[in-house]
């Protein structure tokens, strides 16, 4: 609130006493300075709740608003962040979608891909084990098994058991020479240009 606006709220006697150099004028200047940070924050308060505009330290808090705070694990002041802040922003931005598809294979796969940045998660339901789910994790996400396990436990249906296993890396592709590669003759072996048999001489 500007100094002039604060002064207009005062009784007439105080307004007359708030002349330049007076104690009251100095107090009004201090009040304006005290209000400035809060007013600047309120002017852009919507940025606090926008996933990609909120400060880094607030992104983790917003995961609670969309019921995705289980990816962070138990709060510990000395623990490093479970995920990069960009992944948390992605989870918050897709919070409504994840809530709509919670408990489904699509919802679990989407949550895993958003949290890890890796695709290729495979969800198997063994025929010989009803109500059991096997989540095969791509090798690229091997370092995030703790986060993956927390997501699987939160996203699976309550009546289903689940296990998280690391998928085998794909076998290396054997090297084979190219078939049908064109042979390029050396410049010295090329015939000299002459009249073509198809053209009249």
């Amino acid at each position: 609130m500007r100094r002039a606006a604060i002064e207009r709220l005062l009784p007439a006697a105080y307004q007359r006493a708030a002349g330049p150099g007076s104690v009251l004028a100095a107090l009004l200047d201090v009040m304006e300075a005290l209000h400035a940070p809060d007013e600047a924050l309120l002017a852009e308060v919507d940025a606090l709740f926008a996933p990609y505009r909120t400060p880094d330290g607030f992104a983790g808090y917003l995961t609670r608003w969309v019921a995705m705070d289980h990816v962070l694990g138990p709060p510990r002041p000395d623990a490093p962040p479970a995920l990069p802040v960009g992944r948390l922003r992605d989870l918050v931005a897709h919070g409504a979608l994840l809530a709509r598809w919670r408990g489904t294979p699509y919802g679990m796969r989407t949550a895993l891909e958003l949290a890890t940045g890796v695709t290729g998660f495979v969800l198997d339901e063994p025929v010989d084990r009803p109500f059991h789910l096997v989540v095969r994790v791509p090798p690229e996400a091997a370092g995030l098994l703790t986060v993956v396990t927390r997501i699987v436990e939160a996203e699976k249906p309550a009546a289903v058991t689940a296990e998280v296993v690391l998928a085998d890396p794909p076998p290396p592709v054997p090297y084979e020479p190219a078939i049908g590669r064109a042979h390029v003759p050396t410049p010295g072996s090329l015939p000299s240009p002459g009249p073509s048999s198809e053209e009249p001489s």
Side-chain angles (χ1 to χ4, degrees):
M1 197 169 189
R2 298 296 179 207
R3 177 192 184 285
I6 301 172
E7 186 176 339
R8 284 195 300 271
L9 298 175
L10 297 175
Y14 283 89
Q15 292 183 29
R16 289 191 298 271
S22 67
V23 175
L24 187 54
L27 287 174
L28 292 175
D29 290 338
V30 171
M31 291 177 69
E32 178 181 348
L34 289 174
H35 289 167
D38 295 335
E39 289 178 350
L41 179 64
L42 291 174
E44 297 195 10
V45 70
D46 58 317
L48 287 176
F49 312 108
Y52 296 109
R53 294 170 56 206
T54 191
D56 289 351
F58 209 66
Y61 177 76
L62 290 182
T63 61
R64 299 177 188 164
W65 283 27
V66 294
M68 288 301 295
D69 52 317
H70 51 271
V71 302
L72 302 176
R76 287 199 330 242
D78 58 337
L83 293 175
V85 69
R87 300 273 174 243
L88 295 180
R89 294 178 190 277
D90 290 341
L91 287 169
V92 173
H94 294 84
L97 172 75
L98 296 174
R100 187 163 60 243
W101 289 96
R102 179 160 285 164
T104 67
Y106 172 77
M108 181 181 293
R109 192 175 297 109
T110 302
L112 290 170
E113 291 176 356
L114 286 170
T116 63
V118 176
T119 58
F121 289 89
V122 177
L123 280 59
D124 291 332
E125 299 179 49
V127 178
D128 57 338
R129 294 186 67 182
F131 303 106
H132 184 73
L133 181 66
V134 178
V135 179
R136 303 192 187 282
V137 181
E140 297 83 4
L144 295 169
L145 284 180
T146 303
V147 174
V148 169
T149 302
R150 283 201 295 260
I151 292 173
V152 169
E153 288 297 323
E155 298 294 321
K156 71 176 182 62
V160 173
T161 56
E163 61 180 303
V164 176
V165 298
L166 193 59
D168 296 328
V173 178
Y175 170 76
E176 295 180 3
I179 299 173
R181 182 178 293 169
H183 173 70
V184 180
T186 59
S189 63
L190 292 175
S192 59
S196 172
S197 60
E198 298 177 1
E199 298 178 359
S201 55

